[in-house]
Amino acid sequence: MQRNMTKPFKLGRAASALLLASALGVSACSDATSSKETVEIQFWNPFTGDTAAVVDDIVEKYNASQTNISVKSLSNQDPQKQLTAISGGNAPDLVITYWNNVGPWSEAGAVQNLEALVQSSDFDASRIIPAALDRMKVDGEIHGFPISMSMANKLFYNKKAFADAGLAAAPETLEQMFEYAKRLTKKDDAGNITQIGFIPDYPWIDNVFWPIIFGGSWDDGNGKLTANQKANVDSIAYQALYYQEFGVDGINKFKSGMGQMNTPQDPIITGDLAMMIGWENWYNDKRGENGEIGVAPFPYPEARPELKQSGMVSPVAMFIPAKSKHQEEAWEFMQYLLSEEVQIEYAIRNKTIPVLLGALDNPELTENESTASLKEFFESAKSPNLNGFPNSIYINEYLQALNEETEKAIKGQISAQEAMDAVVAKMQPKADAAKK
Amino acid sequence: MTGNAIGIRKRERKRLLVGLCFISPWLIGLILFQLYPILSSFYYSMTNFNLFQPPEWVGFGNYAEMVRDEKVWLSLYNTLFMAVFGLFPHLAFALAIALLLNKNVRGQSVYRTIYFLPTLVPTVAATLLWMWLLNAQYGLINELLGRIGLPQPVWLLDPLWTKPSLIMMGFWGTGTTTIMYLAALQEVPKLYYEAAEIDGANAWHKFRHITLPAISPMTLFHVIMGLIGALQLFTQGYVFTEGNGQAMGGPENSLLFFAIYLYQTAFSFLKMGYASAMAWLLFLLVFLLTVVVFKTSARWVYYGGER
């Protein structure tokens, strides 16, 4: 009985072993073939919806174009997920993130310094818009590349509000803008603001944009913080003028009643707000000749005409994590993303500004109907007056400190100089510690 | 006798093992996902740690730094403000509603359901709804205040009013507390009220000397849970401050709660060691307040059948 039972069992076991062996053999063979030729890399981005779909399409095209590298794209990976994966030792090979993560993450050792990879290849980093590339540098060395450029250097204005106030064109200087703002502000019988010309901290306190408009900076490149220099202080004093003119409570009350951005009650569309700081990806369908929103270069200080076409650069960054297992392949793919062809496709489909200087003049982009509203931005992306916040390990704390003190100053609780002195007093020790 | 004892011990040991096997998934979870993180966070609180590089031992340096950190004090003030001025009015309100819902009136179950409904709305959605109600220019609350001639604050942008706005919003979500109070009220023996009535007690006497003591264990539970909740306040402040375009912390950091500052420190500034120390301070604070509440509870909490 036992013998009868063991026989089929042995036969079954032999058959299974044979099947398993052959299966392993087949997979081993296929592994051997594929591992020699194809390296799979993980590519994470924080995008969702249409933007993620554009990235997926570009990845698909890349995968179809060659057999050495296979890119696996994963969208909706926000910075917290990225941090968790990288710190947990399970880093993806290439990551898209907000540019201000590059500084702290690099200093923490999570981001690969790309200098060696750039030098060992034919890649010419000088083709990248300098202000965008500067945001990717930590201690002067490249730690990432921008995949697209985002920029605020225009004034958006409601054409009807201007016409109603008898204003034919946008203001050219900041002083003129202040006068326009007064003309464009209306109040009801009870003294409540019903339309306002300009709110300097709408939609947020911008402690990077304003100092740039005044030619300011935040450090001297050698670790000395310069937030309290005259240009920065002037930029805050200028914003405070609006609060002095229209009243803190008046502006706050009006702000709280304004509609939300990107809704039918959006104040720049309804005309409740006559002017605002303009980014390239805002109100694309409302700009242009027949749109409700006019676009003009952002005004400059009257006494400093050399600051015309100033603006803030805030690119979207991509970097290779230090623990990535396939850094060369990730770099290979990153170069593909930085090729003119891909940059143009990305810019057209996502309505962004390409990061290659050469692409800014490419007729495929400049003569494309769908990017007509971006033309002015393509042109001004070449401006030498573009700047951004310097990357560092303490960048987020620095921005936070600027935010807190600027808020007090524009509401008139302290002077602009006091505010910026307080920021430097607080942050300089952190900058000194980071330098050591 | 001995043999029996050994036999029993063996059987108990076996039962213990079987029991442990049954609860092993929970035990493993407790050790891996609770005990280990808790102990390691204590270790990290003694270090400078940025997640990526090896932690650098600083002893009690982070704790000393917290004493000097103005934002720690500010966030503690904001948090304790909410705990004191938020919790007790909410409890009083929930109890008042529970007393009303305990009345034997027609359609009682409908009232109870209606009152509980807002509790089902997720916190984020409720916060967004309240931001609309609190709109300084067009919000319903200011509209009503204006009609009776009262001042109309800029609720969400004036640092004086941001915390009261959140407290006001908290009344909306007291459904669970009310339902639990209602359950406690229904457990109070009617006999006591009847005896008190015979002695000539009025409604206030009955409430003060029968109802309040009888439901005091439930009040103790709410006070402790409410304190823990208030000290960990995060979501409402986060959504409020995001909504008005400010960095987390709200106008002039008036909504910078301890948990929000902890979050900033950890995930924005990458100071995991310092954030761990902050987490331990929060734990100590919760622990101390709980102990104080428990110690004082002997004076005001009455358990059935006890002296």
Side-chain angles (χ1 to χ4, degrees):
Chain A
M1 186 67 182
Q2 260 185 347
R3 234 180 270 165
N4 284 344
M5 280 193 69
T6 44
K7 201 174 178 185
F9 175 67
K10 278 183 181 171
L11 271 175
R13 200 160 58 176
S16 306
L18 192 63
L19 275 172
L20 189 65
S22 51
L24 283 173
V26 169
S27 74
C29 285
S30 66
D31 273 349
T33 333
S34 62
S35 66
K36 269 183 192 168
E37 292 175 358
T38 309
V39 173
E40 186 179 289
I41 63 168
Q42 300 289 327
F43 173 41
W44 284 18
N45 69 74
F47 306 131
T48 53
D50 291 345
T51 316
V54 172
V55 172
D56 288 345
D57 288 351
I58 289 171
V59 166
E60 205 174 301
K61 218 178 264 181
Y62 177 74
N63 285 339
S65 72
Q66 45 72 55
T67 52
N68 296 336
I69 300 166
S70 168
V71 180
K72 283 270 248 190
S73 174
L74 196 59
S75 54
N76 198 16
Q77 300 303 303
D78 60 36
Q80 273 194 45
K81 289 182 196 165
Q82 295 171 4
L83 259 185
T84 311
I86 296 168
S87 61
N90 191 21
D93 299 296
L94 185 62
V95 179
I96 292 182
T97 194
Y98 307 122
W99 74 270
N100 57 328
N101 287 331
V102 172
W105 294 4
S106 294
E107 296 281 359
V111 176
Q112 183 60 38
N113 183 329
L114 296 181
E115 287 291 336
L117 284 169
V118 173
Q119 278 162 24
S120 67
S121 60
D122 293 335
F123 190 81
D124 179 7
S126 68
R127 293 188 302 137
I128 309 284
I129 295 170
L133 187 62
D134 281 349
R135 308 280 76 73
M136 305 294 120
K137 289 182 180 174
V138 181
D139 296 332
E141 301 201 324
I142 299 172
H143 280 69
F145 277 95
I147 186 164
S148 66
M149 166 116 159
S150 199
M151 192 168 74
N153 78 331
K154 300 284 178 217
L155 180 75
F156 288 174
Y157 59 95
N158 183 290
K159 290 178 186 170
K160 187 174 177 303
F162 264 56
D164 291 348
L167 298 168
E172 283 188 28
T173 66
L174 290 170
E175 289 75 3
Q176 211 176 4
M177 187 166 93
F178 185 61
E179 292 307 316
Y180 277 35
K182 286 196 261 182
R183 282 178 67 178
L184 288 159
T185 300
K186 295 177 186 168
K187 290 183 179 176
D188 63 15
D189 297 340
N192 294 316
I193 299 169
T194 54
Q195 176 184 303
I196 198 161
F198 183 71
I199 304 176
D201 58 335
Y202 176 81
W204 50 68
I205 289 177
D206 207 316
N207 38 49
V208 182
F209 174 83
W210 282 106
I212 290 170
I213 295 300
F214 280 79
S217 67
W218 299 270
D219 70 21
D220 67 350
N222 293 311
K224 185 178 180 303
L225 302 187
T226 56
N228 56 353
Q229 65 172 291
K230 189 176 179 302
N232 293 52
V233 170
D234 286 350
S235 77
I236 292 166
Y238 177 77
Q239 294 174 69
L241 280 180
Y242 290 85
Y243 275 87
Q244 286 157 23
E245 179 66 29
F246 305 125
V248 175
D249 285 345
I251 292 183
N252 278 345
K253 193 167 180 185
F254 183 74
K255 260 166 103 175
S256 113
M258 281 186 340
Q260 296 274 318
M261 269 184 92
N262 298 318
T263 66
Q265 284 77 42
D266 189 318
I268 193 77
I269 297 168
T270 58
D272 287 351
L273 175 69
M275 298 182 282
M276 71 182 288
I277 301 164
W279 290 72
E280 85 287 350
N281 53 348
W282 289 0
Y283 310 107
N284 260 300
D285 55 339
K286 309 279 182 199
R287 292 166 9 203
E289 260 180 58
N290 300 319
E292 300 102 306
I293 295 174
V295 179
F298 200 85
Y300 55 90
E302 201 169 52
R304 300 195 61 188
E306 75 276 13
L307 291 175
K308 277 182 189 176
Q309 291 285 2
S310 290
M312 173 173 75
V313 170
S314 179
V316 179
M318 50 183 172
F319 71 90
I320 298 173
K323 286 183 183 169
S324 151
K325 293 177 190 78
H326 306 293
Q327 302 203 349
E328 283 186 11
E329 289 78 8
W331 169 234
E332 199 65 38
F333 178 58
M334 199 193 261
Q335 288 179 80
Y336 174 78
L337 294 174
L338 290 167
S339 65
E340 192 154 327
E341 183 194 345
V342 174
Q343 276 291 305
I344 287 173
E345 185 189 346
Y346 190 89
I348 291 171
R349 292 186 60 191
N350 276 340
K351 304 277 190 297
T352 58
I353 304 168
V355 297
L356 293 176
L357 281 163
L360 296 170
D361 289 321
N362 193 310
E364 264 187 74
L365 197 66
T366 54
E367 287 167 22
N368 194 310
E369 266 307 298
S370 67
T371 54
S373 62
L374 287 164
K375 258 187 188 176
E376 292 146 306
F377 281 92
F378 294 149
E379 197 49 43
S380 56
K382 299 173 203 163
S383 166
N385 285 340
L386 297 178
N387 201 353
F389 203 73
N391 239 325
S392 67
I393 187 169
Y394 51 87
I395 179 173
N396 291 329
E397 271 180 285
Y398 197 1
L399 286 166
Q400 181 82 12
L402 283 165
N403 208 51
E404 287 165 4
E405 297 302 326
T406 304
E407 186 185 12
K408 290 180 203 164
I410 60 175
K411 287 182 177 173
Q413 293 164 2
I414 53 175
S415 73
Q417 187 69 56
E418 283 168 340
M420 291 302 99
D421 285 344
V423 170
V424 172
K426 186 179 175 190
M427 293 309 301
Q428 189 62 59
K430 294 182 195 290
D432 294 340
K435 213 178 163 190
K436 281 171 193 168
Chain B
M1 191 68 185
T2 317
N4 275 346
I6 291 168
I8 289 164
R9 277 206 294 275
K10 267 188 181 170
R11 227 178 12 247
E12 277 179 348
R13 210 178 301 144
K14 199 178 167 191
R15 279 181 185 165
L16 178 70
L17 273 174
V18 172
L20 283 174
C21 284
F22 271 113
I23 62 161
S24 60
W26 178 83
L27 267 182
I28 293 166
L30 174 80
I31 292 164
L32 281 183
F33 301 119
Q34 291 193 356
L35 277 182
Y36 173 71
I38 287 170
L39 293 176
S40 53
S41 91
F42 185 68
Y43 163 70
Y44 288 127
S45 78
M46 302 280 190
T47 66
N48 275 341
F49 180 47
N50 65 18
L51 266 184
F52 302 104
Q53 286 160 338
E56 178 198 342
W57 183 260
V58 293
F60 284 96
N62 286 328
Y63 292 91
E65 178 65 27
M66 270 195 287
V67 178
R68 294 189 291 267
D69 188 341
E70 283 173 17
K71 280 167 88 174
V72 164
W73 292 107
L74 175 66
S75 60
L76 273 177
Y77 164 76
N78 288 338
T79 309
L80 290 172
F81 183 100
M82 292 300 291
V84 174
F85 296 106
L87 176 62
F88 296 104
H90 287 166
L91 286 185
F93 181 75
L95 178 58
I97 299 290
L99 287 167
L100 287 176
L101 293 177
N102 200 30
K103 295 279 176 206
N104 200 9
V105 292
R106 223 172 140 193
Q108 188 196 53
S109 54
V110 176
Y111 298 136
R112 287 177 183 175
T113 310
I114 289 172
Y115 185 72
F116 189 73
L117 273 178
T119 314
L120 303 177
V121 178
T123 315
V124 173
T127 309
L128 292 172
L129 174 73
W130 271 86
M131 284 168 71
W132 181 68
L133 289 172
L134 291 165
N135 187 305
Q137 235 177 336
Y138 308 111
L140 183 67
I141 291 170
N142 271 9
E143 174 69 25
L144 295 174
L145 289 174
R147 284 189 186 191
I148 52 172
L150 288 174
Q152 299 163 297
V154 186
W155 296 99
L156 304 178
L157 292 178
D158 184 341
L160 269 182
W161 289 103
T162 46
K163 284 190 279 289
S165 302
L166 268 188
I167 290 170
M168 202 157 37
M169 189 190 126
F171 287 109
W172 163 268
T174 50
T176 311
T177 313
T178 304
I179 293 295
M180 289 168 83
Y181 261 137
L182 191 57
L185 286 173
Q186 288 175 352
E187 288 301 308
V188 184
K190 300 229 175 347
L191 193 69
Y192 296 165
Y193 294 113
E194 286 163 10
E197 272 167 23
I198 291 167
D199 289 343
N202 62 23
W204 167 249
H205 290 143
K206 283 190 276 182
F207 174 71
R208 170 72 187 81
H209 297 290
I210 299 172
T211 311
L212 270 185
I215 61 167
S216 57
M218 185 58 79
T219 303
L220 174 67
F221 171 77
H222 285 317
V223 167
I224 289 172
M225 296 310 285
L227 273 177
I228 294 171
L231 292 173
Q232 292 177 336
L233 197 64
F234 181 85
T235 314
Q236 296 92 325
Y238 186 86
V239 178
F240 260 33
T241 57
E242 241 197 354
N244 62 27
Q246 305 282 343
M248 292 183 303
E252 294 172 38
N253 274 332
S254 56
L255 293 179
L256 183 76
F257 299 123
F258 196 77
I260 290 182
Y261 186 39
L262 195 157
Y263 174 87
Q264 276 183 356
T265 307
F267 296 105
S268 193
F269 307 156
L270 281 187
K271 292 175 166 180
M272 292 293 170
Y274 192 62
S276 298
M278 286 180 69
W280 275 89
L281 177 69
L282 184 63
F283 167 73
L284 281 177
L285 202 63
V286 170
F287 181 75
L288 277 175
L289 285 174
T290 309
V291 168
V292 168
V293 172
F294 261 118
K295 287 279 180 198
T296 57
S297 71
R299 293 185 191 165
W300 58 273
V301 177
Y302 302 90
Y303 294 100
E306 285 181 15
R307 287 189 156 204

